[in-house]
Amino acid sequence: MSAARPLDGLGAVVTGATGDIGGAIARVLADQGARVGLVARRAERLEELATEMRHGGAEVSVSPCDVTDTDAVSDAAETVSEAIGPIDILINNAGGARFTAPVLDINEPGWSKTVALNLTAPFLVSQAFGRSMIERGQGSIVNVGSLSGLRHLPGMAAYSAAKGGLFQQTKALAREWAPHGVRVNAVAPGFVDTSGWDSYDKDAVVAEAGIGIPLGRWATAEEVALPVAFLASPAASYITGAVLVIDGGMLA
């Protein structure tokens, strides 16, 4: 008889699932027993991830979705719930810094798209999945933010503003939904060694940020995924409204 896993019997959704961090989160949740709904824009990449996870024995469903589109988010919430059952865990992972630029060089469309993806989208997704959580009296939401939401990094004014807003949104939802049994937390990763940084000189990136990494290396995607899974799990049942910093000691 196999041992019980932390998330056995729970349904989870991960947005931005086809990215390095999103994929790592989805795999960890599945490894810990959750049924996982994979949400992202690219259907082909979603199917590739789903196929890989199914080969490992995971129960997964896919729902291609632009999380900045209110109607698409509503449809995805319905589709995923029909496929894997009630949703107990929501990971708002979709996001990213699409550009770096000095403040005076940022145009309005660039600003708006960054805010839409990193701040408005998590709000829309939380609304869509949070309704059923509130009705059932249980649920856990984890927002994937960034260290730049706590300490501005060069060229990332729009991204920093959006992620800072996401942390305040986390606290607002945590306060409002706690009486309904729904916990809302966030993580703030520092530099994570993902494919998006492959064309950069990582030492130069850290030097430009003007802040060192005491642990002396970048995080792996799994080192973000495991704390996310902890916050989502019953092990964190008395934690809500928290922002867990995963930065190798940068803010220290």
Side-chain angles (χ1 to χ4, degrees):
M1 184 176 179
S2 59
R5 295 174 293 178
L7 304 179
D8 273 342
L10 300 182
V13 171
V14 181
T15 69
T18 55
D20 292 344
I21 294 175
I25 293 171
R27 294 182 187 95
V28 167
L29 296 179
D31 288 345
Q32 294 189 9
R35 307 179 306 275
V36 184
L38 307 174
V39 175
R41 287 179 298 174
R42 299 182 183 180
E44 183 177 344
R45 291 181 63 184
L46 277 176
E47 290 294 349
E48 290 173 358
L49 176 60
T51 298
E52 173 207 319
M53 292 177 63
R54 287 174 183 138
H55 284 164
E59 182 179 345
V60 300
S61 72
V62 301
S63 182
C65 174
D66 177 355
V67 292
T68 65
D69 183 323
T70 305
D71 291 337
V73 167
S74 179
D75 291 343
E78 184 175 345
T79 300
V80 172
S81 297
E82 289 177 352
I84 65 173
I87 303 304
D88 306 284
I89 296 167
L90 168 63
I91 313 298
N92 277 313
N93 170 72
R98 299 308 188 200
F99 63 89
T100 60
V103 170
L104 293 180
D105 293 339
I106 298 174
N107 57 34
E108 190 277 332
W111 173 275
S112 295
K113 288 180 180 179
T114 301
V115 171
L117 177 61
N118 293 283
L119 180 58
T120 306
F123 173 74
L124 297 176
V125 176
S126 293
Q127 271 194 328
F129 286 95
R131 293 184 191 281
S132 64
M133 291 181 178
I134 289 171
E135 290 171 0
R136 296 171 59 231
Q138 66 181 59
S140 176
I141 298 173
V142 182
N143 295 320
V144 179
S146 167
L147 184 71
S148 65
L150 299 172
R151 184 191 191 280
H152 172 62
L153 299 178
M156 292 190 170
Y159 185 64
S160 292
K163 290 301 190 184
L166 180 62
F167 294 146
Q168 292 305 312
Q169 181 184 127
T170 298
K171 294 177 185 295
L173 295 186
R175 288 289 299 269
E176 188 166 325
W177 291 356
H180 304 284
V182 179
R183 298 184 299 107
V184 187
N185 293 291
V187 295
F191 290 118
V192 184
D193 192 4
T194 62
S195 57
W197 292 102
D198 285 349
S199 61
Y200 292 82
D201 180 330
K202 293 182 177 62
D203 290 336
V205 169
V206 174
E208 184 180 1
I211 182 172
I213 306 174
L215 284 183
R217 62 177 179 82
W218 289 34
T220 65
E222 188 177 46
E223 287 175 315
V224 176
L226 288 168
V228 167
F230 162 71
L231 287 175
S233 77
S237 59
Y238 200 62
I239 301 175
T240 194
V243 177
L244 177 61
V245 178
I246 310 170
D247 69 346
M250 291 175 71
L251 288 186

